[in-house]
Amino acid sequence: MTNFAIAPSILAADFARLGEEVDNILASGADIVHFDVMDNHYVPNLTIGPLVCEALRNHGVTAPIDVHLMVKPVDRIIPDFAKAGASYITFHPEASEHVDRTLGLIREQGCKSGLVFNPSTSLSHLDYVLDKVDMILLMSVNPGFGGQSFIPATLDKLRQVRKIIDDSGLDIRLEVDGGVKVDNIGEIAAAGADTFVSGSGLFAFGNDNDPNQYDTIVGQMRDALK
Ligand code: DX5
Ligand code: ZN
């Protein structure tokens, strides 16, 4: 039985009430806090950094925090996120001059490491470094913004990565990010994903960040994963 994890992307939360939003979505049964870091350089948007990660830890969040770095360069900011309480740190291979070194740095800092693949990024980046990766994240949209539609070609790519992971015998999570909703999460799981990022599909369900609806929507996702 796969150990499925639901990872709400706080990009779609109400930032003015971030601690409360994260508490509410975790209380509704979500597993991992997905934390999108954008630098207006690697991607055309600007979001949040280590201070906000630390603030969530100080607020009392104990769930894993999954830091998705959409920044270039990558290495300088990794120790800061490790100190701020990150559990996973994932990055895009195109944003690092030395992918093997960056993966090593993340683990040296005591975090779990991950590589992120844009829709057009080749899986060949996994060659030679698979043993240094704890998570593989497939983007099912182009990174930079929440609220985009799931790109169907991701399903084939998921099947390929699932085979690579299973053949390796390594303990690697397979995460998908972008356009994941109640109506497609079952199909995405069937293609091999075990960790599901959802921003607008969770927080903006009903379009009003209504915490009373979080139980409903997380429950619907769990049902779709059965
Ligand atoms: C996009 C981010 C995603 C985004 C997902 O660059 O990496 O995590 O917040 O948002 P939805 O679920 O709305 O597509
Ligand atoms: Zn993300």
Side-chain angles (χ1 to χ4, degrees):
M1 171 69 193
T2 314
N3 169 20
F4 291 127
I6 294 176
S9 163
I10 58 174
L11 201 56
D14 176 355
F15 272 111
R17 305 168 32 250
L18 187 59
E20 198 184 321
E21 284 270 80
V22 170
D23 291 345
N24 289 336
I25 203 84
L26 290 170
S28 297
D31 305 286
I32 295 176
V33 178
H34 185 79
F35 193 105
D36 286 307
V37 184
M38 305 185 187
D39 67 350
N40 187 38
H41 170 70
Y42 179 64
V43 291
N45 199 356
L46 185 66
T47 59
I48 46 177
L51 278 176
V52 177
C53 185
E54 191 178 8
L56 288 176
R57 287 298 186 213
N58 291 339
H59 176 74
V61 173
T62 56
I65 297 181
D66 166 30
V67 173
H68 173 191
L69 293 180
M70 288 162 275
V71 305
K72 187 177 180 176
V74 180
D75 293 8
R76 226 295 296 141
I77 204 76
I78 286 171
D80 295 9
F81 269 108
K83 278 192 205 80
S87 311
Y88 289 89
I89 300 179
T90 67
F91 66 98
H92 292 246
E94 298 91 342
S96 171
E97 298 290 344
H98 304 283
V99 169
D100 180 280
R101 175 182 288 154
T102 304
L103 289 168
L105 176 62
I106 294 170
R107 283 190 175 174
E108 271 166 33
Q109 293 289 316
C111 299
K112 293 192 171 173
S113 61
L115 273 183
V116 192
F117 293 80
N118 285 329
S120 70
T121 302
S122 166
L123 295 174
S124 63
H125 290 277
L126 286 172
D127 294 349
Y128 316 113
V129 295
L130 201 58
D131 59 329
K132 294 181 176 157
V133 166
D134 299 298
M135 181 183 270
I136 296 168
L137 169 48
L138 295 194
M139 294 303 303
S140 37
V141 298
N142 287 290
F145 303 94
Q148 304 179 78
S149 299
F150 184 89
I151 296 172
T154 314
L155 294 172
D156 261 340
K157 210 170 176 185
L158 279 168
R159 284 186 270 270
Q160 289 176 48
V161 179
R162 171 47 59 201
K163 184 169 174 4
I164 292 170
I165 293 173
D166 289 350
D167 288 351
S168 77
L170 294 165
D171 181 18
I172 300 174
R173 293 206 76 88
L174 177 48
E175 186 174 50
V176 64
D177 183 2
V180 178
K181 316 262 181 200
V182 168
D183 60 8
N184 61 9
I185 196 168
E187 187 184 14
I188 294 166
D194 55 34
T195 307
F196 307 87
V197 176
S198 182
S200 52
L202 281 175
F203 285 108
F205 172 68
N207 279 328
D208 53 4
N209 292 70
D210 176 359
N212 297 316
Q213 298 193 22
Y214 293 171
D215 288 351
T216 311
I217 189 69
V218 174
Q220 286 177 7
M221 283 194 180
R222 288 258 176 247
D223 287 346
L225 289 171
K226 277 179 188 157

